[in-house]
C-alpha cells in the first residue's frame, strides 16, 4: 500500500501479496506475473525473512515458473539484489548504491514498457549495476552525480517476459507519475495483457 491498487485494478487482477518464502513454490500453476520487491538476504536493519535458505523456498522454483511456466517476471529495486539464479533470468543485478540523491531517469528506447513515459527525476538510491546488457533490451538509463547506469530493461526468457527496474526505494518514488506509468506498462507487457 498504496502502490499495488494503483497498478493492479481489482476488477482485472487477483493479486496475492506474500512475505511467505514458501508460497510461490506451493503454487500448482504458474501465475500470470511474479513481481518481486524483496531482496535475497535477511535484512538486519529491517527484520525480514531470508527467502533463499535451504529450508525455505528455492529460487530455482521461480526460475522454473518463469522459463517453463511462462510467468511474467518483474524485479523492482531491491528485488534485483544478489541472487545468481535471478541473474540468469534478469541478465542484470544490483552491486551497491550510494546514499539517496537526485537521479534522472532517461528513456532510451521505444518499447511497450516505456510507451508514454517521459524522462523524470526522483530522489532515490542510485543503483550501481552489472549485467549482460547485450542479452536484453536496455530501455532507460539512470544518471546522478555517481555516474550513469542501466535503469530499465526487458526481454523474453523461455516462455516468459522479464523486466528489471532499478528505481523504487520509497513510496514517493514508486507512486510518482513517471514510475506509475512505467510499472503499469511493465505489468501489462510482462503479463501479456
Amino acid at each position: 500500500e498504496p502502490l499495488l491498487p494503483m497498478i493492479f485494478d481489482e476488477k482485472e487482477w487477483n493479486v496475492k501479496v506474500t512475505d511467505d518464502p514458501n508460497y510461490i513454490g506451493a503454487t500448482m500453476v504458474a501465475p500470470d506475473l511474479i513481481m518481486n520487491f524483496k531482496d535475497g538476504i535477511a535484512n538486519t536493519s529491517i527484520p525480514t525473512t531470508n527467502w533463499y535458505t535451504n529450508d525455505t523456498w528455492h529460487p530455482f522454483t521461480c526460475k522454473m515458473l518463469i522459463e517453463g511456466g511462462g510467468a511474467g517476471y518483474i524485479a523492482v529495486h531491491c528485488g534485483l539484489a544478489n541472487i545468481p539464479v535471478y541473474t540468469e533470468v534478469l541478465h542484470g543485478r544490483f552491486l551497491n548504491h550510494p546514499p539517496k540523491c537526485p537521479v534522472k531517469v532517461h528513456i532510451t528506447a521505444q518499447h511497450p514498457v516505456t510507451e508514454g513515459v517521459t524522462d523524470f527525476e526522483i530522489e532515490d538510491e542510485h543503483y550501481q549495476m552489472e549485467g549482460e546488457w547485450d542479452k536484453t533490451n536496455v530501455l532507460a538509463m539512470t544518471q546522478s552525480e555517481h555516474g550513469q547506469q542501466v535503469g530499465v530493461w526487458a526481454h523474453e526468457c523461455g516462455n516468459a517476459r522479464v523486466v528489471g527496474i532499478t528505481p523504487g526505494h520509497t513510496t514517493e518514488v514508486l507512486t510518482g507519475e513517471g514510475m506509475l506509468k512505467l510499472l503499469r506498462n511493465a505489468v501489462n507487457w510482462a503479463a501479456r495483457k
Side-chain angles (χ1 to χ4, degrees):
E1 294 292 341
L3 175 65
L4 295 185
M6 300 171 95
I7 57 176
F8 293 106
D9 184 326
E10 65 181 22
K11 295 175 188 161
E12 297 178 32
W13 292 91
N14 177 14
V15 176
K16 170 67 177 172
V17 178
T18 184
D19 59 5
D20 174 3
N22 293 302
Y23 174 76
I24 296 173
T27 61
M28 300 303 290
V29 177
D32 292 331
L33 180 69
I34 300 168
M35 196 167 188
N36 184 16
F37 293 88
K38 172 73 176 77
D39 62 10
I41 56 176
N43 188 328
T44 56
S45 300
I46 306 169
T48 57
T49 305
N50 185 338
W51 278 45
Y52 308 107
T53 60
N54 289 335
D55 58 341
T56 61
W57 175 73
H58 198 278
F60 281 103
T61 303
C62 188
K63 188 172 187 284
M64 180 184 67
L65 289 173
I66 295 165
E67 287 184 333
Y73 183 68
I74 302 172
V76 180
H77 198 62
C78 63
L80 299 164
N82 301 322
I83 307 301
V85 71
Y86 282 167
T87 304
E88 296 174 29
V89 169
L90 283 164
H91 301 308
R93 73 181 187 101
F94 163 82
L95 294 175
N96 57 61
H97 66 78
K100 285 194 295 184
C101 62
V103 177
K104 293 180 182 177
V105 179
H106 175 63
I107 306 302
T108 57
Q110 294 289 328
H111 189 276
V113 172
T114 57
E115 186 175 341
V117 181
T118 58
D119 294 357
F120 58 96
E121 188 167 337
I122 53 178
E123 182 86 10
D124 205 3
E125 296 172 338
H126 189 197
Y127 267 25
Q128 308 296 295
M129 303 294 297
E130 73 174 6
E132 302 170 306
W133 307 124
D134 59 329
K135 294 184 178 180
T136 188
N137 302 301
V138 175
L139 305 179
M141 301 296 290
T142 55
Q143 178 81 40
S144 78
E145 62 185 278
H146 303 284
Q148 181 171 276
Q149 295 290 320
V150 172
V152 181
W153 64 96
H155 56 269
E156 300 209 5
C157 178
N159 297 320
R161 291 177 171 179
V162 174
V163 182
I165 300 174
T166 65
H169 186 66
T170 65
T171 300
E172 183 179 9
V173 169
L174 287 168
T175 58
E177 182 179 343
M179 276 294 291
L180 277 177
K181 181 68 174 166
L182 193 64
L183 289 166
R184 287 182 189 125
N185 288 351
V187 162
N188 290 333
W189 183 76
R192 301 179 189 272
K193 293 278 186 182

